[in-house]
Coordinates of all heavy atoms in Angstrom, one line a residue:
H1 N 9.7 18.0 -7.9 CA 9.2 17.9 -9.3 C 8.4 19.0 -9.8 O 8.2 19.2 -11.1 CB 8.3 16.6 -9.4 CG 7.3 16.5 -8.3 ND1 6.2 17.2 -8.3 CD2 7.3 15.7 -7.2 CE1 5.5 16.9 -7.2 NE2 6.1 16.0 -6.5
G2 N 7.9 19.9 -9.0 CA 7.1 21.0 -9.5 C 5.7 20.7 -10.0 O 5.1 21.6 -10.6
L3 N 5.3 19.5 -9.9 CA 4.0 19.1 -10.4 C 3.0 19.1 -9.2 O 3.3 19.1 -8.1 CB 4.0 17.7 -11.0 CG 5.0 17.6 -12.2 CD1 5.1 16.1 -12.6 CD2 4.5 18.4 -13.4
P4 N 1.7 19.1 -9.6 CA 0.6 19.1 -8.5 C 0.7 17.9 -7.5 O 0.4 18.1 -6.3 CB -0.7 19.1 -9.2 CG -0.4 19.7 -10.6 CD 1.0 19.2 -10.9
H5 N 1.1 16.8 -8.1 CA 1.3 15.6 -7.2 C 2.5 14.8 -7.7 O 3.0 14.9 -8.8 CB 0.0 14.7 -7.4 CG -1.2 15.3 -7.0 ND1 -1.6 15.5 -5.7 CD2 -2.2 15.9 -7.8 CE1 -2.8 16.1 -5.7 NE2 -3.2 16.4 -6.9
N6 N 3.1 14.1 -6.7 CA 4.3 13.3 -7.0 C 4.0 12.3 -8.1 O 3.2 11.4 -8.0 CB 4.7 12.6 -5.7 CG 6.1 12.0 -5.8 OD1 6.6 11.8 -6.9 ND2 6.7 11.6 -4.7
P7 N 4.8 12.3 -9.2 CA 4.6 11.4 -10.3 C 5.2 10.0 -10.2 O 5.0 9.1 -10.9 CB 5.2 12.1 -11.5 CG 6.3 12.9 -10.9 CD 5.8 13.3 -9.6
F8 N 6.1 9.8 -9.1 CA 6.9 8.6 -9.0 C 6.0 7.4 -9.1 O 6.2 6.5 -9.9 CB 7.7 8.7 -7.8 CG 8.4 7.4 -7.5 CD1 9.5 6.9 -8.3 CD2 8.1 6.5 -6.5 CE1 10.2 5.7 -8.1 CE2 8.7 5.3 -6.2 CZ 9.8 4.9 -7.1
N9 N 5.0 7.3 -8.2 CA 4.3 6.0 -8.1 C 3.3 5.9 -9.3 O 2.6 4.9 -9.5 CB 3.6 5.8 -6.8 CG 2.5 6.8 -6.4 OD1 2.4 7.8 -7.1 ND2 1.8 6.5 -5.4
A10 N 3.1 7.0 -10.1 CA 2.3 6.9 -11.3 C 3.1 6.4 -12.5 O 2.6 5.9 -13.5 CB 1.7 8.2 -11.6
I11 N 4.4 6.4 -12.3 CA 5.3 5.9 -13.4 C 5.5 4.4 -13.2 O 5.5 3.6 -14.2 CB 6.7 6.6 -13.3 CG1 6.5 8.1 -13.6 CG2 7.7 5.9 -14.2 CD1 7.8 8.9 -13.3
V12 N 5.7 3.9 -12.0 CA 6.0 2.5 -11.7 C 4.6 1.8 -11.5 O 4.1 1.6 -10.4 CB 6.9 2.3 -10.5 CG1 7.2 0.8 -10.3 CG2 8.1 3.1 -10.6
T13 N 3.9 1.5 -12.6 CA 2.6 0.9 -12.6 C 2.4 -0.1 -13.7 O 3.2 0.0 -14.7 CB 1.5 2.0 -12.8 OG1 1.7 2.7 -14.0 CG2 1.6 3.1 -11.7
P14 N 1.5 -1.0 -13.6 CA 0.6 -1.2 -12.5 C 1.4 -2.0 -11.4 O 2.3 -2.8 -11.7 CB -0.6 -2.0 -13.0 CG 0.0 -2.7 -14.2 CD 1.1 -1.8 -14.8
R15 N 1.0 -1.9 -10.2 CA 1.6 -2.6 -9.1 C 0.5 -3.5 -8.5 O -0.6 -3.1 -8.2 CB 2.1 -1.7 -8.0 CG 3.2 -0.8 -8.5 CD 3.9 0.0 -7.4 NE 2.9 0.8 -6.6 CZ 2.4 1.9 -6.9 NH1 2.7 2.5 -8.0 NH2 1.6 2.5 -6.1
P16 N 0.9 -4.8 -8.3 CA -0.1 -5.7 -7.6 C -0.3 -5.2 -6.1 O 0.6 -4.5 -5.6 CB 0.6 -7.1 -7.6 CG 2.0 -6.8 -7.7 CD 2.1 -5.5 -8.5
I17 N -1.4 -5.6 -5.6 CA -1.7 -5.1 -4.2 C -1.6 -6.4 -3.3 O -2.3 -7.4 -3.5 CB -3.1 -4.5 -4.1 CG1 -3.2 -3.3 -5.0 CG2 -3.5 -4.2 -2.7 CD1 -4.6 -2.8 -5.2
G18 N -0.8 -6.3 -2.3 CA -0.7 -7.3 -1.3 C -1.6 -6.9 -0.1 O -1.4 -5.9 0.6
W19 N -2.7 -7.6 0.1 CA -3.6 -7.3 1.2 C -3.1 -8.2 2.4 O -3.4 -9.4 2.5 CB -5.0 -7.8 0.7 CG -6.2 -7.1 1.3 CD1 -6.2 -6.0 2.2 CD2 -7.5 -7.4 1.1 NE1 -7.5 -5.7 2.5 CE2 -8.3 -6.5 1.9 CE3 -8.2 -8.4 0.4 CZ2 -9.7 -6.6 1.9 CZ3 -9.6 -8.4 0.4 CH2 -10.3 -7.5 1.2
I20 N -2.4 -7.5 3.3 CA -1.7 -8.2 4.3 C -2.5 -8.4 5.6 O -2.9 -7.4 6.2 CB -0.4 -7.4 4.6 CG1 0.4 -7.1 3.4 CG2 0.5 -8.2 5.6 CD1 0.9 -8.3 2.6
S21 N -2.7 -9.7 5.9 CA -3.3 -10.0 7.2 C -2.3 -10.4 8.2 O -1.4 -11.2 7.9 CB -4.5 -11.0 7.0 OG -4.0 -12.2 6.4
T22 N -2.5 -10.0 9.4 CA -1.5 -10.3 10.5 C -2.3 -10.5 11.8 O -3.4 -10.2 11.9 CB -0.5 -9.1 10.7 OG1 -1.3 -7.9 10.8 CG2 0.4 -8.9 9.5
R23 N -1.6 -11.1 12.7 CA -2.1 -11.4 14.1 C -1.0 -11.1 15.1 O 0.1 -11.6 15.0 CB -2.6 -12.8 14.2 CG -3.1 -13.2 15.6 CD -3.5 -14.6 15.7 NE -4.7 -14.9 14.9 CZ -5.1 -16.1 14.6 NH1 -4.5 -17.2 15.1 NH2 -6.2 -16.3 13.9
G24 N -1.4 -10.3 16.1 CA -0.4 -10.0 17.2 C -0.3 -11.1 18.2 O -1.1 -12.1 18.2
A25 N 0.6 -11.0 19.1 CA 0.9 -12.0 20.1 C -0.4 -12.2 21.0 O -0.6 -13.2 21.6 CB 2.1 -11.7 20.9
D26 N -1.2 -11.1 21.1 CA -2.4 -11.2 22.0 C -3.6 -11.7 21.2 O -4.7 -11.7 21.8 CB -2.7 -9.8 22.6 CG -3.0 -8.7 21.5 OD1 -2.9 -9.0 20.3 OD2 -3.3 -7.6 21.9
G27 N -3.4 -12.0 19.9 CA -4.5 -12.5 19.1 C -5.2 -11.5 18.3 O -6.1 -11.8 17.5
H28 N -4.9 -10.2 18.5 CA -5.6 -9.2 17.7 C -5.1 -9.3 16.3 O -4.0 -9.5 16.0 CB -5.2 -7.8 18.3 CG -5.6 -6.7 17.4 ND1 -6.9 -6.2 17.3 CD2 -4.9 -5.9 16.5 CE1 -7.0 -5.2 16.4 NE2 -5.8 -5.0 15.9
E29 N -6.1 -9.1 15.4 CA -5.8 -9.2 13.9 C -5.9 -7.9 13.2 O -6.7 -7.0 13.6 CB -6.7 -10.3 13.3 CG -6.4 -11.7 13.9 CD -7.0 -12.8 13.1 OE1 -8.2 -12.7 12.8 OE2 -6.2 -13.7 12.8
N30 N -5.2 -7.8 12.1 CA -5.2 -6.6 11.3 C -5.2 -7.0 9.8 O -4.7 -8.1 9.4 CB -3.9 -5.8 11.6 CG -3.9 -4.5 10.9 OD1 -4.5 -3.5 11.3 ND2 -3.2 -4.4 9.8
L31 N -5.7 -6.1 9.0 CA -5.8 -6.4 7.5 C -5.6 -5.0 6.8 O -6.4 -4.1 7.1 CB -7.1 -7.0 7.1 CG -7.4 -7.3 5.7 CD1 -6.4 -8.4 5.2 CD2 -8.8 -7.8 5.5
A32 N -4.6 -4.9 5.9 CA -4.3 -3.7 5.3 C -3.7 -3.9 3.9 O -2.9 -4.8 3.8 CB -3.4 -2.8 6.2
P33 N -4.0 -3.1 2.9 CA -3.4 -3.2 1.6 C -2.1 -2.5 1.4 O -2.0 -1.4 1.9 CB -4.5 -2.6 0.7 CG -5.2 -1.6 1.5 CD -5.1 -2.1 2.9

């Protein structure tokens, strides 16, 4: 694109944020947006 930063995700906006919580088979948990 020749721009300082990629414009793609600035075009497809606004986007809701899914704050995903998970748990592994060993019980360990994770949380990430």
